[in-house]
Amino acid sequence: MAFRLEGVGPVPSDTVATLLHFNGDIMNSSKVDTTNLICGLLLVATGLWFAYQSFELELGTALRMGPGYFPFILSCALMLFGAIILVQSLRVEGEPMGAIAWRGMLFILPAPIIFGLTVQGLGFVPSIFISALVAAFASHKMKPLSALILSAALTAFSVLVFSYGLGLPFQRFGPWLGL
Amino acid sequence: MDLFSNLALGFATAASLENLFFCLIGVLLGTLIGVLPGIGATATIAMLLPITFQLEPVSSLIMLSGIYYGAQYGGSTTAILINMPGESSSAVTALDGYQMARKGRAGAALAIAAIGSFFAGTVSTFLVAIFAPPLTAIALKFGAAEYFSLMVVGLVSSIALAHGSIVKALAMVSLGLLLGLVGTDIYTGAPRFNLGISEYADGLNFVAVAVGVFGIAEILRNLESEKTRTVLMAKVHGLMPTRDDFRQMVGPVLRGTAIGSILGILPGGGAILAAFASYTVEKKVSKHPEEFGHGAIAGVAGPESANNAGAQTSFIPLLTLGIPANPVMALMIGAMIIQGIVPGPNVAIEQPALFWGIIASMWIGNLMLVILNLPLIGLWVKLLTIPYYILFPIIMAFCSIGVYSVNSNVYDLYSVAFFGLIGYLLVKLRCEPAPLLLGFVLGPLLEENLRRAMILSRGDATTFISRPISAGLLFVAALVLVVVFLPSVKAKREVVFQDEE
């Protein structure tokens, strides 16, 4: 159940109950809990990957543990827990996963990547502007013009605060611009 | 008396003009972000870490702590006014606080929350001051085996306090520990799990993982269904609670403070559990349980005191043992390390001014919150009218800048995106990220102490149970694990976490 420790944002309805667990009031539940099925499979796969990687490392002995010893134990534990979740998922009815923020992922996740790819080449100013602009389109409510204005204002603010105010060692305009 | 001379030193440090200023900035920024939904204290502190790099260590930690309880405070404001808890520990406050606001008593609800929090903050600050030195003395006797067992206790309690499936929480801890091991093996120098990317040789950046798993995942979750928020009250009036209100809140505040102080010490998110536990207790002891959910004063006063007390006492394991009780404390450890301070029992001895200064600043910060925020409530309410779609490009930009400024490593930014995806996936798969993050922080420490203990005992694994402190700690861990798996407790645990409306 998704009970977050931090940053609970807008709660979809007016009860904490909704915040604490996805209410199972949706009718089309199947015999298999698909959420847990996927969860179990992913955990087992992740465990397998880590176990394989640890095995490539030197395992060592209990007295002098090698780099692979502890991670190997952990991977086995992860696979075990994944398997338990997998088995459990086949016995109970599940709740559907709900809407997925495809548009959000499409525009939010690339923002830090774009910043990372361009901050050293283009420099801090253009880089932060482009990243903010891309992130702005994650919401369908954002109009192109307001996105431009917001990104420009945000860039100006960030440059003033982080670059001039706090003196963080960012190059404002990078070598790619030939300035 | 030692306690008073220590506290005097602390207040002398915290009350310097500079530190007062940074404490103020901290609580204001914290409240600001706490009020804005969609970003929690972890992501906030991660974002604002770079601001504190240039400061003195004391000032920087004072400001970060200020952000922490400021955010807690701001979270309750939104919980009461728009039924949207800015922090999950204020989720319980929304139950009755919002109902009070709907009855036109928003001002009183806010004041009750503030006064309850302040009282709890005062008491728990003293508790930190009283219990930190003896715990430090015990911690200095700790060897590798004890540290290992202590971290096991921490991880197990984070499982117990996690919401939902226990097996999933166990899996999250294992995954977190594994992710914490990414980087270079400390004994042999062998690279591990870094996909051959040498930029990850020092391990994954904690700030990047925290921002991704908590910040980005939260933004994505909010983008699933965009709704317009309506602020209940343009004008909040009648701040002063009546005499009758005061009479009704004394008991809940006292009980909430006691519950919060105890649960806050437990690793793994004590403040949230404290709020829930307090609500349940108040409902049980109340003469009018039917009022709960319809604007009961005890339903606001108790949980608010409890979560603030819990937030405060969660500094105890951090300051005395160097073990984080929750992700925010883990970030504080990161901040300490960046400032060149090794967290652990030695901090109190080597840097008494820093240690006691932080403790004293907690009380000063709480006082500032009461004095400043009640008059400023109108401003915070205005902030709530900022549409969400304007906020998240700003959040994304600040997160990117914050993460990049830690090490100037662009690969940390790629981790942010990757862990944002992972975090969102975990939300969708109903896995709780908190145990993962705790595991991530403790992973390297756990392995190091395990290996050291095994070498010291010449490969004899019984060292963990033949040393009394270690054995005691492992016993506690086993007990907690057995208890959460007991069918009756399991059922109760679910009830606590999904308290009916």
Side-chain angles (χ1 to χ4, degrees), chain A residues 1-17 19-22 33-36 38-39 42-43 46-47 49-51 53-54 57-58 62-75 77-78 80-82 84-85 88 94-106 108-120 124 128 131-133 135-143 146 150 154 157-158 161-162 166-170, chain B residues 37-42 47 50-51 53-54 83-89 91-92 94-95 102 148 161 163-165 167-168 170-172 174-175 177-179 181-182 185 188 190-193 195 214 216 218-229 268-269 272 276 326-328 388-390 392-394 396-398 400-401 404-405 408 410 413-414 416-417 420-421 424-425 427-434 443 446-447 450-451 454-455 458-459 497-499 501:
Chain A
M1 304 271 158
F3 178 45
R4 263 149 245 96
L5 187 70
E6 294 297 334
V8 176
V11 185
S13 104
D14 58 340
T15 64
V16 169
L19 172 81
L20 297 183
H21 65 137
F22 297 109
D33 189 339
T34 23
T35 310
N36 282 357
I38 297 169
C39 181
L42 282 176
L43 288 174
T46 314
W49 185 82
F50 273 107
Q53 293 274 317
S54 323
L57 298 160
E58 186 197 341
L63 169 59
R64 292 208 175 271
M65 295 180 188
Y69 194 96
F70 189 54
F72 186 73
I73 297 174
L74 288 173
S75 328
L78 186 61
L80 173 72
F81 298 135
I84 295 174
I85 295 168
Q88 282 177 343
E95 301 154 16
M97 227 183 267
I100 293 175
W102 293 113
R103 185 186 170 109
M105 285 200 270
L106 191 67
I108 288 290
L109 294 179
I113 297 177
I114 292 171
F115 184 70
L117 289 173
T118 58
V119 68
Q120 284 165 359
F124 180 63
I128 202 72
S131 309
L133 194 64
F137 286 103
S139 169
H140 58 83
K141 288 181 187 163
M142 185 64 95
K143 307 267 183 309
S146 23
L150 177 67
L154 183 58
F157 178 82
S158 306
V161 170
F162 292 100
L166 294 166
L168 295 180
F170 298 144
Chain B
I39 188 150
T42 308
M47 261 163 57
I51 300 181
F53 286 170
Q54 330 285 332
N83 196 20
M84 222 184 256
E87 298 290 316
S88 49
S89 53
V92 189
L95 288 174
R102 279 180 60 179
F148 175 83
L161 300 180
H163 180 67
S165 153
V167 182
K168 277 186 180 172
L170 282 165
M172 286 301 104
S174 320
L175 185 60
L177 288 168
L178 279 167
L179 290 170
L181 298 180
V182 172
D185 175 45
T188 62
R192 289 195 286 187
F193 316 118
L195 303 167
F214 283 104
I216 311 282
E218 193 55 38
I219 291 178
L220 290 174
R221 203 180 62 88
N222 283 315
L223 282 168
E224 278 171 13
S225 55
E226 292 184 64
K227 286 201 174 73
T228 34
R229 289 172 285 140
I272 304 160
F276 279 93
N326 57 42
V328 174
Y388 193 63
Y389 64 88
I390 291 191
F392 58 70
I394 301 176
M396 287 310 300
F398 288 174
S400 304
I401 297 170
Y404 181 62
S405 65
S408 295
V410 291
L413 291 160
Y414 309 149
V416 169
L421 186 67
Y424 185 57
L425 190 69
V427 169
K428 286 275 113 186
L429 296 175
R430 303 196 294 266
C431 290
E432 169 143 27
L446 195 69
E447 187 195 26
L450 171 68
R451 286 161 85 170
M454 290 304 277
I455 290 171
R458 297 171 197 284
F497 277 113
Q498 27 180 280
D499 204 296
E501 198 197 356

Side-chain angles (χ1 to χ4, degrees), chain B residues 344-373:
Chain B
N346 286 323
V347 175
I349 295 157
E350 285 163 12
Q351 311 221 22
L354 172 100
F355 182 85
W356 292 101
I358 294 174
I359 292 178
S361 83
M362 292 178 190
W363 187 77
I364 296 178
N366 275 294
L367 184 67
M368 283 180 179
L369 282 173
V370 172
I371 297 176
L372 289 172
N373 280 357

